Amino acid sequence: MPLKATAPLSRRAATLIGFTAILLWSTLALATSSTGAVPPFLLTALTFAIGGAVGLVTAVARGVSLSVLRQPWPVWLHGVGGLFGYHFCYFSALKLAPPAEAGLIAYLWPLLIVLMSAFLPGEKLRPAHIAGALMGLAGTVVLLGGRAGSLGFAPEFVPGYLAAALCAVIWSVYSVASRHFAKVPTEVVAGFCLVTAVLSALCHVAFEPSVWPAGAGEWLAVVALGIGPVGIAFYTWDIGMKRGDIRLLGVLSYAAPVLSTLLLVAAGFAALSWPLGLACALIVGGAAVATLLARR
């Protein structure tokens, strides 16, 4: 349920709320696999429309006036640029480069969040944070490399690699810059989601064939995506970035691909393998290093 960023939350509580976004994002692969052949931009338009509607309905139910959406243009540029810009570049990267390599480059954003947090007022970046983030990145390399069999970067895919890198930069800038918009209520994220839905629908009309969800099962998966990973997750991430420990959340974000793979294994869509075990060890170890050693 969306919460106000201005609520009297402790730093630890806000960090825990932000971590729920990572848990929800780990269900993306499993939920998306249940949506059938729905093309990416159409799926984005549908799920963000649902996520935005969830935010507006919750805001009204909590007595929050929709006039809260009247924000200066920099707020909208930051929000829509982050949500839509990330997804546009991500889908472009997947079309222009092999998914494993594109996904690995795109998943540089947790490391970038950790590094960029050093420029925020009141934040101090310690070597343990960098070490933990690098361990998480190593775990992601092992995991994605294990899925693909090998990772081979080829010159002909440079446009896709650049799109993936831009994707990582956009999401890390959006996340860290949220701290500068800490006074903007989290309910405004609903507006970002709705505008992203409209822009994604336009991209769908321009670039994709129309393949709608087939049957109640696929529609249910779309609704679940819109409520959870594409809905609640963006509200809780907003709270975590504005009020929580950005450096720790950046390191913990590397848990998402591992948890996603574990869910696929549990559902029978993937098999246990040594890369998964090693990735788990690296990412859990990185989180421990960033949490425990940084405190010392």
Side-chain angles (χ1 to χ4, degrees):
M1 179 179 294
L3 300 172
K4 286 185 178 181
T6 55
L9 291 172
S10 67
R11 184 179 177 90
R12 177 175 295 181
T15 303
L16 289 174
I17 290 173
F19 182 64
T20 64
I22 299 170
L23 296 178
L24 287 169
W25 287 332
S26 69
T27 68
L28 269 171
L30 182 59
T32 302
S33 66
S34 302
T35 60
V38 181
F41 281 115
L42 177 57
L43 185 60
T44 302
L46 293 173
T47 53
F48 270 94
I50 295 170
V54 167
L56 290 183
V57 170
T58 304
V60 172
R62 297 178 63 226
V64 177
S65 172
L66 295 184
S67 63
V68 73
L69 296 177
R70 297 174 182 170
Q71 298 291 333
W73 68 265
V75 173
W76 286 95
L77 179 63
H78 164 256
V80 176
L83 297 185
F84 176 73
Y86 169 84
H87 288 86
F88 181 85
C89 291
Y90 183 71
F91 295 143
S92 299
L94 293 182
K95 288 184 177 181
L96 297 172
E101 287 88 334
L104 176 60
I105 296 173
Y107 227 82
L108 286 171
W109 64 261
L111 177 60
L112 293 178
I113 285 177
V114 173
L115 297 177
M116 290 181 182
S117 68
F119 299 98
L120 291 174
E123 298 289 345
K124 186 176 181 181
L125 186 61
R126 301 180 184 277
H129 292 121
I130 299 176
L134 290 175
M135 289 176 68
L137 178 60
T140 303
V141 172
V142 171
L143 182 62
L144 293 181
R147 285 182 186 174
S150 63
L151 292 173
F153 294 90
E156 61 266 29
F157 299 126
V158 167
Y161 300 153
L162 292 176
L166 183 57
C167 169
V169 171
I170 288 174
W171 188 251
S172 55
V173 169
Y174 165 77
S175 299
V176 175
S178 295
R179 185 63 62 91
H180 294 290
F181 297 96
K183 293 183 179 180
V184 177
T186 294
E187 283 81 1
V188 179
V189 174
F192 302 158
C193 289
L194 293 176
V195 176
T196 297
V198 172
L199 294 176
S200 298
L202 294 175
C203 289
H204 164 67
V205 172
F207 305 125
E208 297 176 335
S210 293
V211 181
W212 294 87
E218 291 187 5
W219 274 110
L220 184 61
V222 171
V223 173
L225 276 172
I227 293 175
V230 187
I232 295 174
F234 288 110
Y235 300 105
T236 57
W237 185 250
D238 185 74
I239 293 172
M241 289 293 102
K242 288 177 177 177
R243 303 291 301 276
D245 188 333
I246 290 181
R247 301 159 304 178
L248 181 57
L249 284 172
V251 174
L252 293 176
S253 295
Y254 280 114
V258 170
L259 294 174
S260 176
T261 303
L262 290 174
L263 287 175
L264 291 174
V265 169
F269 291 104
L272 288 173
S273 61
W274 71 263
L276 176 59
L278 180 56
C280 286
L282 285 168
I283 290 172
V284 171
V289 166
T291 304
L292 301 177
L293 294 186
R295 287 180 180 176
R296 292 182 181 179

